[in-house]
Amino acid sequence: MDITVGKIILMFLIALFAYMHSFFGSTMWNRPIVVAPLVGLALGDLESGLKLGATLELVFMGAFPVGASNPPDFVSGTIIATAYVIMSGKSIASAVLLAVPIATLVLLIDNLQMTFLLTHASHKADEYASKGDIKGVERTQILYGILNKVILALVVATGFALGVPAIEKILSFVPEFVTHGLDIAAGIIPAIGFAMLARMMLTKKVVPFLLLGFLLTAYLNVTVVGVALFGIAAVLLMLNMKENQMQQEVFVDDNEF
């Protein structure tokens, strides 16, 4: 699959869209489960984008900023790794191998450019503040914030433009045992992710549904979509039963004769 100017522009726009999530109240549309399918759609392979999005979401599940600490830049890792796998036909393990180092590298680039960009923005805001120009302070915050996201999107687009050969050359320096280990990890990570979710969600009321879903897939070979439809039917049935029960409790016949 060739890299064209149009595809580079699409990667830039997807990256900019993902980075701009914080301008709308942290919408979370920067997560891999959203970004990877967009990359897959842009490159004509939505199915692979969905699979990679689910896998990389589990990899970066705990990647959230805490205080002044920033997590690896999973937007860049997701876009470049997803594009690499789709364009080269490699395995999902290759995406895991690429995503984390790329995300860490772009985080360092982001911290470096923010050191200069935000320092300059602070001085500009101070100038406006000394003149009592509140609009100028707000304008500085917005413009420099957008500029920061544009720079990051350009970094991602440049990484994509380097193409598969450059990425494969980087991967060639990675020892085989590391690649093999990440291949195994790619199979374990989904189980760990589901275990983390189950630990937060499991209650006495939920366990029977989890067991039912397992039995449907293990013994009746029902697909994931089929299990989801069974779950919807069960929820609707429970809601109807609960509604009927509430109606019966409200209606009280106090006629003794």
Side-chain angles (χ1 to χ4, degrees):
M1 187 181 293
D2 296 330
I3 296 176
T4 62
V5 175
K7 289 176 181 176
I8 295 174
I9 293 173
L10 282 175
M11 293 304 112
F12 169 79
L13 292 176
I14 291 172
L16 184 60
F17 167 76
Y19 285 125
M20 289 293 289
H21 81 104
S22 58
F23 275 70
F24 301 92
S26 191
T27 60
M28 303 297 288
W29 65 45
N30 64 327
R31 301 299 304 179
I33 202 168
V34 176
V35 175
L38 291 177
V39 175
L41 187 64
L43 297 179
D45 192 350
L46 179 59
E47 181 181 352
S48 295
L50 291 168
K51 291 178 180 178
L52 288 161
T55 301
L56 293 177
E57 180 65 34
L58 293 170
V59 172
F60 292 111
M61 183 176 290
F64 285 95
V66 179
S69 174
N70 290 324
D73 186 81
F74 47 82
V75 171
S76 58
T78 298
I79 292 175
I80 295 176
T82 301
Y84 168 74
V85 170
I86 291 175
M87 296 180 70
S88 65
K90 298 291 185 179
S91 65
I92 291 178
S94 302
V96 178
L97 177 65
L98 271 178
V100 177
I102 289 173
T104 305
L105 176 62
V106 175
L107 173 64
L108 296 176
I109 295 173
D110 184 26
N111 289 337
L112 182 63
Q113 61 100 5
M114 284 179 66
T115 301
F116 297 98
L117 186 68
L118 296 187
T119 300
H120 189 265
S122 298
H123 291 312
K124 292 291 292 184
D126 288 341
E127 291 179 11
Y128 286 119
S130 63
K131 300 175 183 177
D133 187 354
I134 302 301
K135 293 293 184 182
V137 175
E138 292 179 351
R139 190 165 55 249
T140 300
Q141 179 185 8
I142 294 172
L143 291 177
Y144 278 80
I146 294 175
L147 180 59
N148 166 245
K149 308 308 180 188
V150 170
I151 291 173
L152 287 175
L154 286 173
V155 170
V156 174
T158 302
F160 173 77
L162 290 175
V164 173
I167 296 174
E168 288 183 336
K169 188 173 182 179
I170 294 171
L171 287 177
S172 66
F173 293 102
V174 180
E176 185 179 350
F177 73 89
V178 175
T179 306
H180 180 64
L182 286 171
D183 193 10
I184 296 173
I188 297 175
I189 283 171
I192 296 175
F194 281 115
M196 292 172 63
L197 290 174
R199 187 175 180 182
M200 293 184 289
M201 295 170 55
L202 283 183
T203 62
K204 292 181 180 179
K205 294 182 178 179
V206 174
V207 168
F209 292 99
L210 179 63
L211 180 60
L212 178 61
F214 171 75
L215 293 175
L216 287 172
T217 56
Y219 294 99
L220 298 180
N221 295 323
V222 179
T223 63
V224 176
V225 175
V227 173
L229 293 175
F230 271 112
I232 293 172
V235 170
L236 292 175
L237 182 62
M238 290 181 62
L239 288 175
N240 289 333
M241 292 175 62
K242 188 173 182 179
E243 185 178 352
N244 292 334
Q245 184 180 359
M246 291 177 63
Q247 290 177 354
Q248 291 176 4
E249 291 176 354
V250 170
F251 177 75
V252 178
D253 186 5
D254 56 356
N255 186 4
E256 298 179 358
F257 301 99

